[in-house]
Amino acid sequence: MKGFILLITVFLFTNTIIGQIMIGEPASEQKKQKQKSKATAVADTIGLKKKESTTAAYLVSNWSKSYRLLEKNGDIYGDTLGIRADERNLTTWSFGIGMQSQINKHVMWDGGISFLRNGESYSYSASDTSFSYQNFYSYISMPVRINYTIGKDLKFYVGAGLIPQMFTGYRQEKQWTTSTDAKVEETVKTKIGYNSVVLSSVFNVGLILNFKNNWSLMVSPEARIQLTSSYPRLDGFIHKGRAYGITFGLTRKI
């Protein structure tokens, strides 16, 4: 009888100990999870958790149909337009690098440096002769824009800004055919007779497609409107370039 009572006592004691261990295990696990959550919160607070970059570098190219506003410079200095009244647009390419940064959810700025060109063309032909030329105006420019953005992985934006432009050169490509059917070409280059600095405004809309590896693809229709004349104040003409085209390129977060 005593042995039976002792056996019952040992059985009950063993079950009690095991039950306490099993009850204690979840509490211990909860304690670990709590400590882990606290550690994560502290890391976020002191900035140890890596945040997604809002700044990117870009490389772009711009294709444009370029033209100009050309008018007589008043009654004192003004000259007649002559054949220049019949000038037409000209296709030009420009290239640039720069940076863009998301200021907040809907505002992004971008700025950089680019090699920018605009120009105009002329063409005349008759039964026994022809004459044509293309004028190119080249600048080193520093565009700065503010954009309103919507979206994240696929971002739509619309923006406007200013482009200070430093003049680097004028080039005219001429081609003509003589009465004897001889074809002649000539190139004229100069840096004289033009304002060293002009200012343009720029307007754009665009899309940025973000990939998972920090690279993005950018496509943006753009309009550039020159605000100051290409020619000095006393020149016979007031000349202001216009360009309407599309910018495309790559960006990478840094």
Side-chain angles (χ1 to χ4, degrees):
M1 186 68 178
K2 288 182 180 179
F4 178 78
I5 294 172
L6 180 61
L7 181 61
I8 294 297
T9 303
V10 171
F11 178 79
L12 292 175
F13 179 78
T14 304
N15 281 349
T16 301
I17 294 300
I18 293 173
Q20 288 176 349
I21 292 173
M22 293 180 68
I23 291 171
E25 282 180 352
S28 176
E29 187 65 29
Q30 289 177 1
K31 187 176 180 181
K32 288 180 181 178
Q33 290 292 338
K34 224 179 252 189
Q35 290 175 343
K36 188 176 180 181
S37 299
K38 285 182 180 179
T40 303
V42 170
D44 290 347
T45 302
I46 64 175
L48 295 178
K49 185 178 179 181
K50 187 177 179 181
K51 294 183 179 180
E52 185 178 359
S53 175
T54 59
T55 302
Y58 63 75
L59 172 66
V60 296
S61 179
N62 174 272
W63 175 91
S64 292
K65 282 289 187 181
S66 179
Y67 194 50
R68 84 293 182 275
L69 168 68
L70 187 69
E71 58 186 12
K72 181 180 177 181
N73 187 15
D75 295 329
I76 298 177
Y77 307 110
D79 195 1
T80 56
L81 299 186
I83 65 170
R84 298 205 63 181
D86 296 321
E87 288 177 340
R88 298 291 180 263
N89 58 35
L90 177 68
T91 298
T92 57
W93 284 92
S94 302
F95 308 92
I97 58 174
M99 296 181 65
Q100 56 184 211
S101 182
Q102 199 74 33
I103 299 173
N104 58 41
K105 184 178 179 181
H106 293 298
V107 179
M108 176 181 73
W109 75 269
D110 73 83
I113 185 167
S114 63
F115 173 71
L116 186 152
R117 290 195 298 180
N118 56 271
E120 61 269 343
S121 65
Y122 172 83
S123 181
Y124 167 82
S125 62
S127 58
D128 59 348
T129 186
S130 66
F131 176 70
S132 61
Y133 63 77
Q134 302 82 41
N135 295 334
F136 296 91
Y137 307 84
S138 299
Y139 298 90
I140 297 297
S141 68
M142 292 169 285
V144 178
R145 282 177 287 249
I146 294 292
N147 306 277
Y148 179 82
T149 68
I150 300 174
K152 186 176 180 182
D153 292 334
L154 180 60
K155 184 182 295 183
F156 170 80
Y157 65 94
V158 56
L162 293 174
I163 311 178
Q165 301 170 209
M166 183 175 67
F167 180 71
T168 60
Y170 165 85
R171 187 177 89 248
Q172 184 182 64
E173 302 282 352
K174 296 194 289 186
Q175 309 86 29
W176 67 91
T177 303
T178 67
S179 57
T180 59
D181 204 30
K183 295 182 179 179
V184 184
E185 295 183 358
E186 183 183 8
T187 299
V188 177
K189 295 181 180 180
T190 185
K191 295 183 179 180
I192 301 172
Y194 298 88
N195 281 327
S196 58
V197 177
V198 299
L199 181 67
S200 295
S201 59
V202 60
F203 304 91
N204 59 273
V205 297
L207 289 173
I208 298 177
L209 176 60
N210 294 314
F211 303 112
K212 299 299 182 181
N213 57 359
N214 292 327
W215 286 93
S216 302
L217 178 66
M218 177 172 62
V219 180
S220 175
E222 180 180 281
R224 299 193 308 268
I225 300 174
Q226 193 171 316
L227 303 176
T228 58
S229 179
S230 307
Y231 303 147
R233 186 174 63 87
L234 302 182
D235 193 87
F237 302 117
I238 294 174
H239 177 280
K240 297 178 181 179
R242 302 284 190 269
Y244 305 94
I246 185 167
T247 297
F248 53 91
L250 292 172
T251 73
R252 180 172 173 79
K253 291 181 179 178
I254 57 176

